[in-house]
Amino acid sequence: MSNTWLSTLKTDSPQEGFELAIKLSRMGVKYTQPSDEIRKRLREDYANNADSLIAASQVVAVNFQTIAAANKYWNSGS
Amino acid sequence: MSNTWLSTLKTDSPQEGFELAIKLSRMGVKYTQPSDEIRKRLREDYANNADSLIAASQVVAVNFQTIAAANKYWNSGS
Amino acid sequence: MSNTWLSTLKTDSPQEGFELAIKLSRMGVKYTQPSDEIRKRLREDYANNADSLIAASQVVAVNFQTIAAANKYWNSGS
Amino acid sequence: MSNTWLSTLKTDSPQEGFELAIKLSRMGVKYTQPSDEIRKRLREDYANNADSLIAASQVVAVNFQTIAAANKYWNSGS
Amino acid sequence: MSNTWLSTLKTDSPQEGFELAIKLSRMGVKYTQPSDEIRKRLREDYANNADSLIAASQVVAVNFQTIAAANKYWNSGS
Amino acid sequence: MSNTWLSTLKTDSPQEGFELAIKLSRMGVKYTQPSDEIRKRLREDYANNADSLIAASQVVAVNFQTIAAANKYWNSGS
C-alpha cells in the first residue's frame, strides 16, 4: 500500500490505543484481501458467527499488547 | 464509539484486572458486531459450546497479560 | 462476581504458579458461563476431545506466562 | 533457502514494520509449502474465507509484536 | 496434584528447556483430563492429525517462551 | 531424545533466527509424533491446506519471538 496509514503507535489514551489495535487487526486482513467488496461480504459471515468474533477479539488483544507496550501502558507515574 | 469506556489500565487488585481483561475481550467483539441484540443471540451459542468458551478464555488470558504488565503485576515489594 | 478469588499473583513455587494459571483459565470460562451445571456438562465434551484439551493447555500456557513474570520466574539468585 | 530475504528487523516506520510482519508471516508459510503454484492456488481459498483471514491477521499481529520490540516501538523520545 | 513435578524453571541448556516446555504442555492437558487411560487413547487421535500436532506445537512454543525468559535465554555473555 | 539438536538460541542473523524458529516448530511436532513416516504422510495434508499453513506460520511466529529476544533483536547499536 502506497499511502501512509500508520505513522506512530503512540496514542493519547488506552481507549485510542484499543481502537488503533482494531485498525491494525483490520489492516492485517486488508493486506491479504485488498478488495473492499469481498471484505464487506465476508463481514456478514464473521459478524454473525460467535467463534469468528472471538477469534477477531483475539487478534485485537495481541495488537493491543503491542500498542500498550509502545505507550508504556499510559502510566504517567510509578 | 464516542463514549469513554477505557481511561486507564490500572486497577486496585489482580481480580479487578482480570475483570477488566474480560471487558476488553468483550469490547473486541463489540467493535466488530455493535448490535446488542445480535451479540445477545450469539452468546447463547458460545456459552454452551466448550470450544468457544475455551477460545474466549484465551482472549481473556492475552488481555490479562497486558493489564498485569501495566500494573507491574500488583507487586508492592520485591 | 462479588467474592474475592484472586488477591495476588505471587506463589511460593512454579508448580503453585502453574496451578494458579489453571484457575485463571477456568475463571475465564466461568465469567462467560456462570452456571456450574452447564460447565460440568460441557466438561464431559472437552475432557474427551484431543483438540479441546490442547486448546485448554494453550490457555494455561498464556496465563502461566503472566504468573511466571509476576514471580520473576521464581529466581532467587541469577 | 539459500538467498537472503531478512537481514534486519529494523524499519524506518511502524508501517514498514507492519509490512515486514506480513512478509514474515508469508515466509512462515513458504518454508512449509515452497511451491509458488500451490500457494497461489491456496490463496484463492483463504482470501475468500473470513476465518482464514482472521487467522492470517493473528499471525501478522504476533510478528508485528516482535518487530515493534526490535524497533523499540519507534519511540524517538521518552 | 499432591506430588511435586515442577520445582524450578531453570534448565542447563535450551534443549532441556524445550523438553520442559513439552512437559508443561502435557501437564496442562493432564490437569483437565487426569485419566492416563483416556489421555493415551486420545493421543492416538491427535498424533495422527496434522492440525492437532500443529496446535500442540503452538502450546509448546508458548511454554518455551516462558522457560527461555526464566533462563535469560541461556546467555552466558552478551 | 538423546541427541543434541539445540545447544543455543543465538544466531548470526535474523534470517538464521527465523530458520531456527522453523526448526523449533517442527521439533514441537516431532516430540509428539516421533515417527518420520507418519509425519511425512501428514505433511501432504497440511502443506496443501491453507488453514494448516497459517497455523504453522503462527507457531513459527511465536518461536521467532523467543529467538529474536534471545538475540536482542540482532541490534548492534542503539
Side-chain angles (χ1 to χ4, degrees):
Chain A
M1 290 177 193
S2 52
N3 58 325
T4 299
W5 61 272
L6 182 64
S7 55
T8 179
L9 297 181
K10 291 272 186 156
T11 68
D12 286 338
S13 72
Q15 184 166 331
E16 286 179 33
F18 195 82
E19 287 164 355
L20 179 55
I22 286 167
K23 185 180 181 181
L24 291 184
S25 305
R26 289 180 181 164
M27 292 305 290
V29 170
K30 191 172 183 176
Y31 274 91
T32 305
Q33 178 47 272
S35 160
D36 289 341
E37 193 188 328
I38 295 177
R39 288 203 317 283
K40 194 179 173 184
R41 177 162 49 79
L42 293 175
R43 180 179 283 259
E44 292 299 309
D45 294 345
Y46 72 80
N48 290 286
N49 180 289
D51 289 333
S52 303
L53 287 168
I54 294 170
S57 183
Q58 168 89 354
V59 182
V60 173
V62 174
N63 279 318
F64 185 59
Q65 276 197 336
T66 308
I67 291 164
N71 287 279
K72 302 188 178 195
Y73 305 99
W74 297 273
N75 288 330
S76 46
S78 87
Chain B
M1 289 176 197
S2 51
N3 59 324
T4 299
W5 60 271
L6 181 65
S7 55
T8 179
L9 297 181
K10 292 272 186 157
T11 68
D12 286 338
S13 73
Q15 184 166 330
E16 286 178 34
F18 195 82
E19 288 164 355
L20 179 55
I22 286 167
K23 185 180 181 181
L24 291 184
S25 305
R26 289 180 181 164
M27 292 305 290
V29 170
K30 191 172 183 177
Y31 274 92
T32 305
Q33 178 47 271
S35 160
D36 289 341
E37 193 188 328
I38 294 177
R39 287 204 318 282
K40 194 179 173 183
R41 178 162 48 79
L42 293 175
R43 180 179 283 260
E44 292 299 309
D45 293 346
Y46 72 81
N48 291 287
N49 180 289
D51 289 334
S52 303
L53 287 168
I54 293 170
S57 184
Q58 168 89 355
V59 181
V60 173
V62 174
N63 279 317
F64 185 59
Q65 275 198 336
T66 308
I67 291 164
N71 287 278
K72 302 188 179 197
Y73 305 99
W74 297 273
N75 288 331
S76 48
S78 87
Chain C
M1 289 176 197
S2 50
N3 59 324
T4 299
W5 61 271
L6 181 65
S7 55
T8 178
L9 298 181
K10 292 272 186 157
T11 68
D12 285 338
S13 73
Q15 183 167 331
E16 286 177 36
F18 195 82
E19 288 163 356
L20 179 55
I22 286 167
K23 185 179 180 182
L24 291 184
S25 305
R26 289 180 181 164
M27 291 305 290
V29 169
K30 190 171 182 177
Y31 274 92
T32 305
Q33 178 48 272
S35 160
D36 289 341
E37 193 188 328
I38 295 178
R39 287 203 318 282
K40 194 179 174 184
R41 179 161 47 79
L42 293 175
R43 181 179 282 258
E44 293 298 309
D45 293 345
Y46 72 81
N48 291 286
N49 180 289
D51 289 334
S52 303
L53 286 168
I54 294 169
S57 184
Q58 169 88 356
V59 181
V60 173
V62 174
N63 279 318
F64 185 59
Q65 275 198 336
T66 308
I67 291 165
N71 287 279
K72 302 189 178 193
Y73 305 100
W74 297 273
N75 287 332
S76 47
S78 91
Chain D
M1 291 177 192
S2 51
N3 59 324
T4 300
W5 61 271
L6 181 65
S7 55
T8 178
L9 297 182
K10 292 271 185 155
T11 68
D12 286 338
S13 71
Q15 184 167 331
E16 285 178 36
F18 195 83
E19 288 163 356
L20 180 55
I22 286 166
K23 185 180 180 182
L24 291 184
S25 305
R26 289 179 181 164
M27 291 306 289
V29 170
K30 190 172 183 177
Y31 274 91
T32 305
Q33 179 47 272
S35 160
D36 290 340
E37 194 188 326
I38 295 177
R39 288 204 317 283
K40 194 179 173 183
R41 178 161 49 78
L42 293 175
R43 181 180 282 261
E44 293 299 308
D45 294 344
Y46 72 80
N48 291 286
N49 180 290
D51 289 334
S52 302
L53 287 168
I54 294 170
S57 183
Q58 168 89 355
V59 182
V60 173
V62 174
N63 279 318
F64 185 60
Q65 275 197 337
T66 308
I67 292 164
N71 286 279
K72 302 188 179 194
Y73 305 99
W74 297 273
N75 288 332
S76 46
S78 87
Chain E
M1 290 177 195
S2 50
N3 59 324
T4 299
W5 60 272
L6 181 65
S7 56
T8 177
L9 298 181
K10 293 270 185 158
T11 68
D12 285 338
S13 73
Q15 184 167 330
E16 286 178 35
F18 195 83
E19 288 163 356
L20 179 55
I22 286 166
K23 185 180 180 183
L24 291 184
S25 305
R26 289 180 182 164
M27 291 306 290
V29 169
K30 191 171 182 177
Y31 274 92
T32 305
Q33 178 47 271
S35 161
D36 289 341
E37 193 188 328
I38 295 178
R39 287 203 319 282
K40 194 178 172 184
R41 178 161 48 79
L42 293 175
R43 180 180 282 260
E44 292 299 308
D45 293 345
Y46 73 80
N48 291 286
N49 180 289
D51 289 334
S52 302
L53 287 168
I54 294 169
S57 184
Q58 169 88 356
V59 182
V60 173
V62 174
N63 279 318
F64 185 60
Q65 275 197 337
T66 308
I67 292 164
N71 287 278
K72 303 189 177 195
Y73 305 99
W74 297 273
N75 287 332
S76 46
S78 93
Chain F
M1 291 177 193
S2 51
N3 59 324
T4 300
W5 60 273
L6 181 66
S7 55
T8 178
L9 298 181
K10 292 271 185 158
T11 68
D12 286 337
S13 72
Q15 184 167 332
E16 286 178 36
F18 195 82
E19 288 164 355
L20 179 55
I22 287 166
K23 185 180 180 181
L24 290 184
S25 305
R26 289 180 182 164
M27 292 305 290
V29 169
K30 191 172 182 176
Y31 274 91
T32 305
Q33 179 47 272
S35 161
D36 289 341
E37 194 188 327
I38 295 178
R39 288 204 317 282
K40 194 179 173 183
R41 179 161 48 79
L42 293 175
R43 181 179 281 259
E44 293 299 307
D45 293 345
Y46 72 80
N48 291 285
N49 180 289
D51 289 334
S52 302
L53 287 168
I54 294 169
S57 184
Q58 169 88 355
V59 182
V60 173
V62 174
N63 279 318
F64 185 60
Q65 275 198 336
T66 308
I67 292 164
N71 287 277
K72 302 188 179 196
Y73 305 99
W74 298 274
N75 288 332
S76 46
S78 88

